[in-house]
Amino acid sequence: MTTVFLSQWTEAAGDMAEVNEHFLPTDLTSWGMVFDWAPFFRLIYQADLILDNAHRFESLTKEELEPYVLQAYFAKGVAYFYLAMTFGDAPISKGTLFIEKLPQSPMSEVLDMADSCLSKALKLPVYEEMVSATSEARMKQYGSKGAAVALLAHLHAWRAGVEGKKECWAKAEEYCSMIIEGRVGNYKMVDTPEEVCVNVLKGGSDESIWEIYSDASENKEYAYRNDFVRFPVLLNGEFYPGAGIPYPYLTKETVHNMYSMGDLRRESYYYALDADFIYLNKVGENVVVGTTPGDVVLKYDVRELDETYMYKFRYPYYEKNEYDPRPSFRGMSQNKVLYRLADIYLLRAECRARQNKRDLAVSDLNYVRGRAYGNMEDGNIKNGDDVSRYSYPTSEDIKNGLDANLCLAIFKEREKELSYEGYRYYDIMRNGYCFLRGEDSHDYIRKEISKYYEQLTDQDIKDGAMYCMLMDVCFDNNDLIRQNRYWNRRIQ
């Protein structure tokens, strides 16, 4: 049940994850920030359909109905939370029987609704207890206690950062601790960045908390897509160095500036970053892509290539067409992981830093950095290893001024660890509003996105420039809907 209507939500969420990366300039004067909120409301309607009619199934006991009801609350909480982060103000449904027009409610009330629904979903079992029910329940797409807590952690961090409700930092920290301490499920960090790419982001790993099932070879229509990723592809013995759509991308220079040489993520997340050539080597009866020469079949010079090959997502699905010698990218044959344990550690670090719990925040930051530098074994930082390479503040932190701003250091670490996973734009908003209130010295919104955002005034941001503009279809049959103040000015 949840699988069906959450897959419809990913039509919007998947697109938003891509748009909200914003590593490259996005022109606020263009239509690039325009979105339809219909998929979120379809999800809300389907959840309400279950909640409004659960009492009609008189032959089922309360215990038999409860899993469906709790999954509906989980899905409804997801929809309202992402509506609030994407659009700010939004209508709040009064159920499936209410057909009158509804105006937008303030974002605070939308978040209240999300909080209420997700809090009810906390009655869901932990993931390990769900898997014994049916084979289908093994997908982490289903709501679980851990997934609900992860959403609540992000929701309260959002309220603390964007709404300025400082008490919510402590709430978000506690929700993060519930996950990290194993109180809502057994989650565990894998040991290397390479395992993140090969196992975690494929789906179903112990580090993953909540994900959306996707297999492009089964269903191309709803496949999770990374259209912005440039893949080096070897298909049927032919090499296609530019397959996929290379926009937006990170340049080699950007990646070199982001990651130090000791950081294993730079090689796991980006292919052939330091190579001058890519080789096709014959190995037995096969042809293998590599960065070192062997029995060379072909050699590609990549020295003049400015952009990187994103190698974080390892399972793209391509189809070979008779009418086109190049393969066609159809989507990812791997799940879309929305929340994972490394994110939760860094989110807790942010919450602690905002509460001036410096030593605890640094501990969480260093834990994630430790894996990036190869110091993790069986989910724990190895004793006796040289921690000076990554322990905050390093000489590189001091060189970049991060020793003076722990929150900025945590933001930069999230940028490195979670690149292309759909967090960065929301991280910028959460921290950016802290700057507007004088709680941070770094202007995230105007310094971390693009030249177009540099032009925004404080009033532009307060009026809703960071939220998406509503598509025309959002106004169909409802003359009570309004663009926010910023977008209303831009379209007049």
Side-chain angles (χ1 to χ4, degrees), residues 14-55:
D15 289 340
M16 284 307 304
E18 294 173 15
V19 169
N20 284 336
E21 279 301 321
H22 285 302
F23 274 112
L24 285 186
T26 296
D27 189 347
L28 283 173
T29 64
S30 74
W31 292 96
M33 291 285 286
V34 183
F35 276 87
D36 180 10
W37 56 20
F40 299 100
F41 285 107
R42 283 200 296 269
L43 175 54
I44 291 167
Y45 178 83
Q46 290 175 313
D48 277 339
L49 197 62
I50 293 170
L51 297 173
D52 291 346
N53 291 281
H55 68 279

Side-chain angles (χ1 to χ4, degrees), residues 67 125-138 142:
V126 299
Y127 173 71
E128 292 76 19
E129 293 177 3
M130 293 177 61
V131 297
S132 62
T134 65
S135 59
E136 284 129 354
R138 293 185 182 276
Y142 284 85

Side-chain angles (χ1 to χ4, degrees), residues 230-457:
R230 184 183 178 99
F231 294 106
V233 177
L234 181 67
L235 186 68
N236 297 331
E238 297 182 67
F239 184 62
Y240 299 87
I245 302 174
Y247 182 84
Y249 57 82
L250 292 182
T251 65
K252 290 180 180 178
E253 180 183 7
T254 298
V255 175
H256 280 300
N257 290 334
M258 284 175 63
Y259 301 90
S260 65
M261 290 302 294
D263 193 326
L264 300 179
R265 292 172 298 197
R266 66 191 302 278
E267 295 180 1
S268 291
Y269 290 6
Y270 302 93
Y271 186 77
L273 185 64
D274 303 310
D276 293 331
F277 301 95
I278 293 177
Y279 299 92
L280 268 64
N281 296 315
K282 189 172 182 181
V283 180
E285 298 297 320
N286 300 315
V287 176
V288 179
V289 180
T291 57
T292 56
D295 186 359
V296 179
V297 178
L298 286 173
K299 180 174 75 171
Y300 291 87
D301 190 337
V302 293
R303 289 174 294 183
E304 300 301 319
L305 190 69
D306 290 330
E307 66 265 30
T308 55
Y309 287 124
M310 165 56 72
Y311 199 45
K312 194 174 190 180
F313 305 94
R314 303 290 179 85
Y315 305 96
Y317 177 71
Y318 290 85
E319 282 187 343
K320 190 76 174 292
N321 300 312
E322 294 180 2
Y323 53 83
D324 191 342
R326 298 170 300 177
S328 298
F329 175 59
R330 296 301 186 190
M332 305 300 295
S333 288
Q334 62 184 89
N335 293 356
K336 169 60 179 172
V337 177
L338 289 114
Y339 297 116
R340 57 185 178 96
L341 192 54
D343 152 54
I344 296 299
Y345 267 102
L346 291 173
L347 184 66
R348 187 172 73 170
E350 180 184 327
C351 295
R352 287 173 163 179
R354 292 290 177 200
Q355 298 174 83
N356 297 316
K357 299 178 180 179
R358 182 180 177 84
D359 290 346
L360 291 173
V362 169
S363 176
D364 285 339
L365 172 62
N366 286 343
Y367 181 75
V368 176
R369 283 184 169 188
R371 176 172 72 180
Y373 282 79
N375 279 15
M376 185 170 283
E377 185 175 31
D378 197 28
N380 297 302
I381 299 300
K382 291 184 283 187
N383 293 325
D385 283 332
D386 179 15
V387 300
S388 63
R389 296 178 299 157
Y390 62 83
S391 184
Y392 177 86
T394 63
S395 58
E396 191 171 345
D397 291 328
I398 295 170
K399 176 184 175 182
N400 295 325
L402 298 180
D403 59 318
N405 190 333
L406 177 56
C407 289
L408 179 59
I410 294 166
F411 169 81
K412 291 295 184 181
E413 194 64 32
R414 287 181 64 84
E415 180 180 68
K416 289 186 285 188
E417 174 66 30
L418 305 169
S419 63
Y420 285 104
E421 293 183 48
Y423 294 91
R424 189 173 185 269
Y425 190 77
Y426 297 133
D427 288 352
I428 288 170
M429 288 184 69
R430 194 172 57 243
N431 288 283
Y433 277 84
C434 291
F435 170 80
L436 292 181
R437 292 191 301 271
E439 299 166 9
D440 199 303
S441 61
H442 186 68
D443 191 350
Y444 296 84
I445 291 173
R446 284 170 287 224
K447 290 184 178 179
E448 296 294 340
I449 309 179
S450 75
K451 62 182 181 181
Y452 301 104
Y453 289 79
E454 293 174 7
Q455 303 166 19
L456 294 175
T457 66

Side-chain angles (χ1 to χ4, degrees), residues 145-155 175 179 209-210 339 344 347:
K145 189 182 294 291
V149 169
L151 280 153
L152 283 165
H154 273 275
L155 184 149
Y175 282 124
I179 295 171
I209 300 170
W210 185 47
Y339 297 116
I344 296 299
L347 184 66

